[in-house]
Amino acid sequence: MKDQLSQSISHVAVIGSGIMGSGIAQSIVQSGYNVTLFDTYQSNLEKSFEQIKANIHKWCDRNGNSEEAVSIVRRLKKAFSIEEVSKAELVIEAITEKLEPKQQLFLQLEKLVDRNTILATNTSGISISKIAEPCLYKDRVVGTHFFNPVHKIPLVEIVGGEETAAHTIETVIGFTRSISKEPVTVKDVPGFIVNRIITPMLNEAMLTYEKGIASKEDIDIAMKKAMGHPMGPLELSDYIGLDTLLYFMEHVYKETGNEAYKPGDLLRNMVENGDVGVKSGKGFYMYEKARSI
Ligand code: NAD
């Protein structure tokens, strides 16, 4: 259900059609919005679009309204140039977890969109104020941190930077509720709430494996059985993307000096070799469906 503020939004653009961008775009289009999806890699965009379409058909079939799928898919557009996102009232960035490309993108977006358009980032933990730094209008820059897999996890962390306007935060809170997700607000600190707490555990699991203390399977079994987690930490790391985890950890370690986020050699080597988890077909485990990145 849209509230008064989020009623100002009917068209959302999602930039980056990787794991998160695809999931975010799907959840939003299924909630009745028009969505434009853009990625600099056309093959990623095409694959993502086909995957979202298939997921929507499955979702509609499961809910017993197969006819609805066609009209939902019609609201989803592929953009082949970034200029095509200019009409969106909300843009959600879900590109690589690196500060500079995100800053460059926000600068580019600022020139394209309307003054009232909200610019949101799905960063896992880079400072919202830093991403907004080169922008002229920092009041409309905000963090909307979705979780993987987006269609299953009903949480979005809403993060205001130093200059984010209260109106921007209220609007994205309303928007989040309108797509059936629970918003929580958090200060602009490295890792926000969830990643701040969970990443040291994932890192320790990788180091435990690297040091030969236990096999990867036993590490995952132990944490699933003892803690009731649905996935083991190494499986979860593969699922998140080892590159995304590495960039995030490097960033938080640099910002805070907290050794709990210091990546081990194994993680670095795996990322260097392109073994980044589910999306590349190989991480701690092997996966059938490889997706080029
Ligand atoms: P990903 O590697 O799966 O996808 C990133 C996509 O962005 C790729 O398709 C790439 O081609 C595209 N891209 C890169 N630079 C671009 C640009 N300048 N313009 C347009 N497209 C560009 O990454 P992901 O896992 O989807 O992560 C995206 C963001 O979401 C990151 O900031 C990450 O930290 C965050 N995040 C990830 C997870 C997770 O579990 N993977 C969870 C929450 C948040």
Side-chain angles (χ1 to χ4, degrees):
M1 276 276 275
K2 290 192 188 187
D3 67 2
Q4 256 184 338
L5 279 168
S6 60
Q7 267 169 16
S8 56
I9 299 170
S10 63
H11 181 179
V12 181
V14 178
I15 316 271
S17 66
I19 300 175
M20 294 307 292
S22 303
I24 293 168
Q26 185 186 328
S27 289
I28 297 175
V29 78
Q30 281 177 188
S31 304
Y33 292 89
N34 295 308
V35 175
T36 301
L37 184 59
F38 172 72
D39 199 292
T40 36
Y41 286 86
Q42 202 172 326
S43 65
N44 284 359
L45 182 63
E46 297 288 357
K47 276 185 200 149
S48 159
F49 189 79
E50 290 311 313
Q51 187 62 57
I52 297 173
K53 243 169 58 178
N55 292 349
I56 289 172
H57 278 278
K58 261 193 243 157
W59 182 70
C60 289
D61 289 348
R62 251 200 328 268
N63 294 334
N65 49 358
S66 310
E67 314 80 53
E68 209 196 332
V70 176
S71 64
I72 298 177
V73 169
R74 216 176 281 138
R75 289 200 302 270
L76 178 67
K77 300 263 176 314
K78 287 179 272 191
F80 294 105
S81 83
I82 192 145
E83 282 72 23
E84 292 177 56
V85 311
S86 65
K87 296 280 184 289
E89 290 103 13
L90 168 65
V91 180
I92 302 178
E93 165 274 310
I95 69 166
T96 318
E97 183 70 350
K98 291 199 168 173
L99 177 62
E100 266 183 32
K102 286 191 194 285
Q103 285 181 329
Q104 276 167 17
L105 176 65
F106 274 66
L107 261 180
Q108 200 179 6
L109 286 169
E110 198 169 51
K111 294 186 188 113
L112 281 175
V113 298
D114 186 83
R115 167 67 182 100
N116 294 319
T117 295
I118 292 177
L119 301 181
T121 168
N122 188 52
T123 176
S124 304
I126 299 177
S127 157
I128 308 306
S129 302
K130 279 222 171 111
I131 293 173
E133 214 165 58
C135 293
L136 191 57
Y137 303 116
K138 301 176 176 56
D139 57 335
R140 41 118 161 239
V141 178
V142 66
T144 51
H145 183 219
F146 289 77
F147 288 81
N148 185 16
V150 180
H151 67 284
K152 279 201 179 146
I153 304 196
L155 179 74
V156 182
E157 291 176 331
I158 309 290
V159 195
E162 275 162 34
E163 295 188 42
T164 308
H167 171 269
T168 303
I169 305 241
E170 283 156 25
T171 306
V172 290
I173 286 178
F175 172 77
T176 302
R177 293 207 173 104
S178 78
I179 59 167
S180 308
K181 304 275 183 215
E182 176 93 34
V184 290
T185 53
V186 50
K187 286 189 181 160
D188 190 11
V189 294
F192 314 131
I193 302 174
V194 176
N195 286 340
R196 185 184 183 90
I197 297 171
I198 202 171
T199 309
M201 186 200 63
L202 300 182
N203 194 26
E204 195 54 46
M206 291 187 265
L207 293 171
T208 301
Y209 176 55
E210 184 175 343
K211 288 174 186 160
I213 295 168
S215 70
K216 57 190 173 192
E217 290 83 3
D218 282 351
I219 292 168
D220 280 342
I221 290 170
M223 294 307 287
K224 282 193 279 194
K225 297 290 176 192
M227 306 306 297
H229 291 179
M231 280 177 135
L234 299 177
E235 277 177 286
L236 179 59
S237 300
D238 275 355
Y239 197 72
I240 291 169
L242 301 183
D243 51 344
T244 300
L245 255 180
L246 175 66
Y247 303 149
F248 169 70
M249 282 162 53
E250 279 175 333
H251 170 76
V252 180
Y253 180 56
K254 195 169 142 218
E255 290 280 306
T256 64
N258 186 342
E259 297 265 333
Y261 297 89
K262 189 177 176 187
D265 291 340
L266 176 66
L267 177 61
R268 280 186 199 290
N269 292 340
M270 289 173 82
V271 173
E272 247 174 56
N273 290 338
D275 299 333
V276 294
V278 177
K279 62 185 168 185
S280 70
K282 187 177 173 202
F284 288 99
Y285 300 95
M286 300 294 289
Y287 302 90
E288 264 175 29
K289 276 191 195 165
R291 187 172 70 77
S292 64
I293 50 169

